[in-house]
Amino acid sequence: MALAAERQPVLDVQAVRDLFPILEQRVHGKPLVYLDNAATTQRPRAVLDAMAEFYESYNANVHRGIYAFSEKASARYEEVRSKVQALIGAAAPEEIVFTRGTTEALNLVAQSWGRANLREGDEILVTEMEHHSNFVPWQMVAKETGARLRCARVTDEGRLDREDFRANLTGRTRIVALAHVSNVLGTINPVADLAREAHTRGAIVVVDGAQAAGHLPVDVRALGCDFYAFSAHKMYGPTGVGALYGRLDLLDAMEPTMGGGGMIGEVTLERTTWADVPHRFEAGTMPIAEVIALGAAVDFLLDLDRETIRAHEERLTSYALARLKSCRGVKVFGPPTTAGRAPVLSLASHDVHPHDLATVMDRDGVAVRAGHHCAQPLMRRLGVGATARASFALYNTTDEVDAFIRSLEHAEAFFRGS
Ligand code: PLP
């Protein structure tokens, strides 16, 4: 019994791969090795089918019609709210607002909660490892309100410097905004602990979950955060849709940032009242097919079990970290082991520019990303202009990690001229 309890769950990767039609593609005559999952993941057949089924068999606008298609579409759309609630452990479906993605969700909090609650001299605390999506909206609202943006440092190992975080958390901090997982370093931030510290100072906690939702079990109540944002396209769902979780009492007190159809209580010539939460924040025709397909992505993740997914991706990351150790002249950023690390690996070569690495790797069929990854403050901290980044998903294999390493060595040899 004890053995069974300790055994790590194993994912049937080949069976999973069979669910993703795009993985059969060849690129430049080579089998596709897709390692740009932090930018966007691929979609399983079930997600593609959910979108096609909507358009082919019950396409209608939601919340507006009293005919069968519209009622079915509305019911499916609202069901997804409950699915997302279950995925992230929210207390009620009303705590889930559909957005275009993480970026829009974070801007919504900044522009609504931020504008209403920030005063001159208040402080917003972010970290050096934030994606621009969790940096620029705070910079914008700070400028508008006279609040001050502070930034907690990252250690040389690529983790949040807890001492510096504490030093920057003051009695004036109103908002702490941080990534659950860094899209460059792979670092998993200890959100629950940080949220506890932030709350003792009276700040609210906004979490950018873009790189976590598809990889880690997420429970917003266990994390103790007040807002949590993520994008469907980074967790096997479609582009153009994502969600903002917000504590109901906070959402209830918030003003919408966009006016239009579907978000009103009553409109007169003089004034408008708002619809209840969450519809207040969903102005205009929403990406209905995409929301419904997000529901299929949530089913897919929950069916496979996120602990199992996490264990598989951790094995891949551990294997890749070990293999990279033997690559001469290659520096890997972020935590050195899988402890507190998600499946994102950024690296720099002593001899080869990241863009050149990515170009040569592409010729080998290996898709990695090169650039600043929308994290320029972090690039400055790391002392580089860009990195090459490989990021894994549940359909990747150790053979693909080997192909990545072979291709990396090939690129290094090519540019060294040996
Ligand atoms: N936050 C992080 C950590 C990300 O990695 C990304 C996308 O790469 C975003 C936010 C923005 O996500 P989206 O472009 O889907 O809004």
Side-chain angles (χ1 to χ4, degrees):
M1 279 306 284
L3 247 186
E6 280 166 21
R7 197 182 299 143
Q8 288 233 310
V10 176
L11 196 69
D12 183 347
V13 188
Q14 193 48 55
V16 167
R17 289 181 71 82
D18 291 344
L19 304 173
F20 288 80
I22 203 169
L23 298 179
E24 290 160 19
Q25 295 280 325
R26 294 177 78 83
V27 176
H28 305 304
K30 311 271 173 46
L32 167 68
V33 176
Y34 185 77
L35 303 180
D36 195 17
N37 295 286
T40 197
T41 55
Q42 303 300 341
R43 289 97 182 114
R45 172 79 64 200
V47 168
L48 306 175
D49 286 351
M51 279 183 91
E53 191 204 359
F54 169 74
Y55 284 125
E56 283 172 11
S57 64
Y58 61 100
N59 173 41
N61 212 329
V62 295
H63 303 141
R64 284 172 207 175
I66 44 170
Y67 52 93
F69 281 10
S70 179
E71 282 174 1
K72 180 168 175 183
S74 304
R76 288 283 171 87
Y77 180 92
E78 288 304 323
E79 269 168 25
V80 179
R81 230 184 273 285
S82 304
K83 287 179 194 230
V84 171
Q85 175 203 349
L87 182 81
I88 62 170
E94 292 76 20
E95 293 185 320
I96 308 300
V97 179
F98 293 125
T99 65
R100 275 198 304 133
T102 309
T103 304
E104 187 175 284
L106 294 168
N107 275 275
L108 171 54
V109 182
Q111 288 302 312
S112 179
W113 198 95
R115 264 202 214 156
N117 292 284
L118 291 169
R119 301 281 170 271
E120 194 160 347
D122 285 345
E123 293 175 359
I124 305 165
L125 176 56
V126 296
T127 84
E128 243 173 2
M129 70 174 87
E130 299 312 312
H131 187 282
H132 296 161
S133 292
N134 201 28
F135 202 94
V136 181
W138 304 116
Q139 217 166 33
M140 288 163 71
V141 76
K143 196 170 167 199
E144 284 168 38
T145 59
R148 175 179 173 204
L149 185 65
R150 297 177 71 133
C151 189
R153 277 201 302 264
V154 166
T155 66
D156 290 341
E157 208 179 66
R159 298 188 198 271
L160 180 65
D161 182 332
R162 295 289 293 272
E163 284 310 309
D164 197 55
F165 178 83
R166 262 178 225 125
N168 277 288
L169 188 62
T170 74
R172 312 195 88 165
T173 312
R174 303 297 319 278
I175 299 169
V176 171
L178 81 163
H180 194 172
V181 170
S182 159
N183 67 313
V184 175
L185 303 165
T187 309
I188 303 174
N189 280 314
V191 173
D193 292 349
L194 300 170
R196 220 170 292 120
E197 290 174 24
H199 285 149
T200 61
R201 291 297 206 153
I204 62 154
V205 177
V206 183
V207 180
D208 171 352
Q211 296 297 339
H215 301 280
L216 311 179
V218 173
D219 182 329
V220 288
R221 279 182 289 172
L223 291 175
C225 58
D226 300 288
F227 294 97
Y228 193 95
F230 65 92
S231 302
H233 71 99
K234 294 182 195 288
M235 46 166 279
Y236 313 103
T239 53
V241 68
L244 172 69
Y245 155 80
R247 249 180 43 213
L248 199 54
D249 56 320
L250 294 175
L251 287 178
D252 242 347
M254 277 162 55
E255 296 276 311
T257 53
M258 213 193 310
M263 51 72 71
I264 57 98
E266 190 189 13
V267 181
T268 66
L269 285 181
E270 293 74 33
R271 60 188 284 273
T272 298
T273 59
W274 311 138
D276 286 341
V277 165
H279 301 288
R280 180 187 307 172
F281 303 108
E282 294 176 6
T285 297
M286 294 293 287
I288 303 163
E290 286 79 1
V291 168
I292 289 170
L294 163 61
V298 172
D299 289 343
F300 172 77
L301 278 173
L302 292 179
D303 277 357
L304 283 179
D305 178 60
R306 281 175 301 165
E307 289 295 352
T308 310
I309 295 169
R310 168 102 183 101
H312 171 69
E313 294 179 347
E314 204 168 273
R315 276 192 288 269
L316 288 176
T317 309
S318 170
Y319 182 64
L321 282 171
R323 291 231 41 201
L324 281 165
K325 276 204 186 108
S326 60
C327 294
R328 200 161 46 100
V330 171
K331 177 177 169 56
V332 179
F333 298 101
T337 69
T338 54
R341 198 189 218 294
V344 179
L345 289 168
S346 276
L347 50 92
S349 159
H350 189 260
D351 302 311
V352 190
H353 190 277
H355 284 103
D356 292 334
L357 269 183
T359 304
V360 172
M361 293 178 93
D362 173 56
R363 302 304 300 181
D364 291 336
V366 180
V368 296
R369 181 149 294 239
H372 56 62
H373 314 294
C374 299
Q376 288 181 347
L378 179 59
M379 291 296 120
R380 261 173 231 120
R381 166 67 179 89
L382 300 176
V384 293
T387 72
R389 181 185 72 185
S391 47
F392 306 126
L394 51 78
Y395 39 67
N396 290 125
T397 64
T398 47
D399 285 350
E400 289 184 313
V401 175
D402 289 337
F404 161 66
I405 300 286
R406 258 195 321 274
S407 183
L408 178 62
E409 287 168 348
H410 171 207
E412 291 267 318
F414 180 83
F415 281 98
R416 276 200 209 110
S418 56

